[in-house]
Amino acid sequence: VSEPNECPFLIEVHRLREGEIDATRAGEVRQHMARCSSCRAEYESWDRLSELLARGDPASPLVPERQRRMKDKLLQDGAASLDEAGDAPRRQSAPRWRMPVRIALGLAPLAAALLLLLHLGPGVRPGEPRSPRVAAHSGAALPEAQHEALPRQRQIAVAPELPLPRVQTNPKVSPRAVKRLAIPKDRPPAALTRRREDAKTGRSNRQNPGHPSSRLRVFASSRSTGNPFTAQGKRRRRALRPYRIADASRSVPAPRDRSQGSAFRRTRAAAPAGKRMVASHEAGLAAPRPIERLVIQVDGPPSVRPVEASTATHITVIATGDPAAPGAQLTVVKSQREETLP
Amino acid sequence: MRGRQRVAEPDEKLMQRTSRGDLAAFGELFDRHQPAVYAFLSRFLGNATWAEDVVQEVFWRVWRYRHSFDSAQRFAAWLYGIARHTALTEARRSHHQELSLDQLPAGERETGATNEGGAWSDDGLVEDLTLREQVRLALQKLPPDQRSCLILREYEQRSYQEIAAILECTPENARVLAFRARRTLRTLLEDHFQAEGSCV
């Protein structure tokens, strides 16, 4: 530390000033300082510097009122984050192999949107009045007290009765603008509001691709069917038909929920009692096809690419096949809490 | 009747409660450490308003990353590590520009520089304010590690072991950082020092 032409005791003087040498050594250094004006000046300069730093301390305490406001804001944000995330204890850091799981968790609200569409049938928008049949079922699906406890972001119904086809998500396929299910501006799903809330606080969570407010890109399929936006894909897509709820006489299995680890939950979704899910174009046919393909697309303003949660305006769900066919099952991966909605 | 004396819960215990989502424990930690962290950031950043923003961000990060706290480590070291990283990040990201009086618009300059009320007539006050500004500027000229080390050592009287844990270095490195920082500061504030003698 010391320079070549400096006294070799300089380091010891520094240690003495810091109180880091024993009494014997301190005595020796003091004896040296009595003879060495340079070391003495060095020692005194440290004292002088400490005095100057104390007198010229640039810090001043925060005004108690501002301190209180800051604390209130933090506690408020903390409580909101607890409500939002369910606040299950998490690991310190997720290993890389869990990244796809995180992505799947982030897509949970969209999967719930899919269920909503399956229940509502094609062409029904959240802002429009629903058919009495669906509305009656939605009201019966939950106890009254549970309805009251739900925050308004929970809009998507999951009625656990009839098993639906299994869904696999593949976030690699880019979205395409197909407007079918409009998200009302005043009632965006939870995944969309979260991004907005974060924008309010100025905090970004883009670094977590599994976060619900990360970019919404969904392609879900029960099989590998290739790119749905190529010519071949478009032909296949023309053949796709959304599902609707139809009356059915056959019995359906009882609802069953089960937990899969601490981080996510799988929920079986089904149609209301006495009804089953059938493909609209195959309703009434003798041999329904099992579920083949399921596509969820999210789109925002044309100028914004890629679509982010804060800019998403539409969700389109396209499905084909028969979710009521033997062996067909729809599995919804959800993060930490249920989003059961009227 | 003698009241039972309440023993303060250690920071680490409070942090464990915080990691379980206990907002009251988090509030207690905030009350305990906010003044010191704010003072550290004020000295480090040289700007009280900026420090106020950053200290809020620091405690938000404490809450946000509460699950990553290792109860085997000291909470203060973890907290100051977050504060230091946040301050460095903010300093890199932000473009806080300070204007000298000469750069102010004419109207503001006159308003800011006049002494109509006689508030600046006290020589001691002027001297203290001048020294404060000199110290603030001198601290800003130090490299970040030296600045952090000197602030923690000189203003907060932390041991070199604690400083080393915060700065993620060895205690000896922290000692060297403090030594160099003092030397630089002594040069920057040389007007306040008398001429040194020579070794006999």
Side-chain angles (χ1 to χ4, degrees):
Chain A
V1 174
S2 62
E3 294 178 10
N5 57 349
E6 287 178 334
C7 178
F9 267 85
L10 203 58
I11 298 297
E12 296 299 307
V13 170
H14 187 63
R15 289 179 184 274
L16 174 68
R17 174 69 182 74
E18 299 276 25
E20 292 186 332
I21 54 177
D22 56 32
T24 310
R25 186 63 180 155
E28 293 173 6
V29 175
R30 287 186 191 283
Q31 283 180 0
H32 169 78
M33 281 170 52
R35 289 180 279 109
C36 179
S37 60
S38 173
C39 288
R40 196 165 56 246
E42 185 83 5
Y43 187 90
E44 288 167 358
S45 75
W46 293 147
D47 277 345
R48 175 72 177 146
L49 180 63
S50 292
E51 179 200 334
L52 284 174
L53 289 175
R55 266 182 55 207
D57 185 1
S60 53
L62 194 60
V63 179
E65 172 62 21
R66 299 178 79 91
Q67 185 177 342
R68 189 188 58 76
R69 261 190 289 164
M70 188 188 296
K71 182 181 177 183
D72 290 346
K73 178 77 169 64
L74 281 167
L75 293 180
Q76 190 180 344
D77 287 352
S81 74
L82 285 177
D83 291 342
E84 198 169 78
D87 200 54
R90 286 175 289 178
R91 295 165 60 94
Q92 290 187 9
S93 59
R96 288 183 182 277
W97 64 266
R98 290 188 66 178
M99 195 57 72
V101 176
R102 286 187 162 199
I103 293 172
L105 293 179
L107 301 177
L110 293 177
L114 163 67
L115 290 178
L116 173 67
L117 187 67
L118 291 177
H119 280 283
L120 294 180
V124 178
R125 296 165 188 269
E128 296 174 353
R130 292 182 291 180
S131 67
R133 180 179 56 186
V134 175
H137 152 65
S138 302
L142 288 171
E144 193 62 33
Q146 200 172 345
H147 272 298
E148 292 173 0
L150 291 172
R152 70 182 176 91
Q153 291 97 326
R154 303 181 181 185
Q155 302 166 41
I156 300 167
V158 178
E161 289 184 22
L162 185 69
L164 293 175
R166 179 178 295 277
V167 176
Q168 292 177 348
T169 56
N170 179 1
K172 292 179 181 176
V173 180
S174 62
R176 175 67 64 93
V178 181
K179 299 179 181 180
R180 184 176 291 272
L181 178 64
I183 301 169
K185 290 287 183 186
D186 56 338
R187 288 177 55 193
L192 306 183
T193 57
R194 182 159 184 170
R195 177 76 197 176
R196 212 165 287 167
E197 287 168 1
D198 286 345
K200 280 180 189 172
T201 57
R203 298 186 182 99
S204 172
N205 43 24
R206 289 179 192 166
Q207 294 165 346
N208 181 2
H211 193 281
S213 66
S214 296
R215 293 171 184 173
L216 297 175
R217 288 184 173 188
V218 184
F219 172 66
S221 173
S222 61
R223 295 176 189 174
S224 176
T225 52
N227 188 345
F229 305 117
T230 60
Q232 182 187 3
K234 285 178 180 175
R235 280 198 300 275
R236 292 183 61 88
R237 201 168 139 190
R238 279 196 288 273
L240 299 178
R241 296 289 185 276
Y243 291 100
R244 64 179 173 80
I245 296 175
D247 290 328
S249 57
R250 74 175 192 177
S251 61
V252 294
R256 186 162 68 95
D257 289 347
R258 60 178 180 174
S259 297
Q260 297 283 344
S262 60
F264 63 92
R265 175 172 296 177
R266 289 183 175 183
T267 303
R268 281 186 174 184
K275 301 177 177 64
R276 67 184 179 89
M277 305 294 290
V278 297
S280 58
H281 67 295
E282 292 190 358
L285 296 183
R289 288 183 298 146
I291 187 71
E292 288 180 348
R293 192 180 190 191
L294 207 55
V295 181
I296 302 176
Q297 297 170 40
V298 181
D299 188 42
S303 61
V304 180
R305 286 292 184 273
V307 178
E308 293 189 1
S310 59
T311 59
T313 58
H314 295 81
I315 296 176
T316 299
V317 182
I318 303 172
T320 186
D322 182 9
Q329 183 182 17
L330 177 65
T331 303
V332 181
V333 180
K334 308 192 76 176
S335 62
Q336 299 180 353
R337 66 180 177 131
E338 290 293 326
E339 293 199 21
T340 309
L341 300 167
Chain B
M1 191 173 73
R2 182 184 297 176
R4 195 175 61 179
Q5 189 175 1
R6 184 167 173 260
V7 179
E9 196 172 357
D11 291 341
E12 290 71 23
K13 293 280 184 189
L14 284 173
M15 193 56 213
Q16 284 177 1
R17 283 171 50 197
T18 302
S19 66
R20 293 194 293 267
D22 188 339
L23 280 167
F26 178 58
E28 176 74 19
L29 284 172
F30 178 87
D31 289 339
R32 281 189 196 179
H33 294 280
Q34 183 272 338
V37 174
Y38 174 72
F40 170 78
L41 291 170
S42 296
R43 292 162 184 145
F44 187 86
L45 297 169
N47 184 315
T49 308
W50 195 7
E52 191 177 333
D53 294 340
V54 176
V55 77
Q56 187 164 354
E57 177 64 22
V58 168
F59 278 95
W60 174 249
R61 289 188 184 190
V62 168
W63 174 258
R64 192 169 158 193
Y65 300 118
R66 61 192 183 278
H67 301 292
S68 67
F69 175 70
D70 180 5
S71 55
Q73 71 179 129
R74 291 278 313 275
F75 172 74
W78 186 69
L79 174 65
Y80 274 88
I82 291 176
R84 177 173 153 269
H85 281 294
T86 309
L88 286 172
T89 305
E90 291 294 322
R92 275 195 291 266
R93 183 189 301 169
S94 302
H95 300 283
H96 278 245
Q97 278 192 336
E98 294 187 1
L99 296 176
S100 71
L101 286 177
D102 295 338
Q103 294 173 286
L104 285 174
E108 295 180 28
R109 184 165 64 233
E110 286 169 9
T111 306
T114 51
N115 186 23
E116 293 172 357
W120 293 10
S121 60
D122 186 348
D123 289 343
L125 179 61
V126 173
E127 189 182 337
D128 282 351
L129 288 173
T130 307
L131 176 62
R132 190 170 171 174
E133 183 64 9
Q134 286 176 337
V135 169
R136 187 183 71 84
L137 293 174
L139 283 173
Q140 295 308 302
K141 287 179 181 171
L142 293 176
D145 279 350
Q146 290 185 25
R147 201 186 322 160
S148 306
C149 186
L150 186 85
I151 291 170
L152 292 168
R153 180 68 184 171
E154 199 67 42
Y155 287 109
E156 306 195 14
Q157 282 77 45
R158 294 192 177 273
S159 70
Y160 283 119
Q161 280 74 21
E162 288 177 297
I163 295 172
I166 293 167
L167 299 183
E168 297 163 349
C169 65
T170 64
E172 190 56 39
N173 281 344
R175 204 171 278 117
V176 170
L177 284 172
F179 183 83
R180 288 179 175 158
R182 285 191 175 109
R183 289 216 133 182
T184 308
L185 276 185
R186 196 175 59 179
T187 306
L188 292 170
L189 301 171
E190 62 183 349
D191 293 346
H192 299 274
F193 290 92
Q194 294 178 348
E196 297 178 8
S198 59
C199 194
V200 289

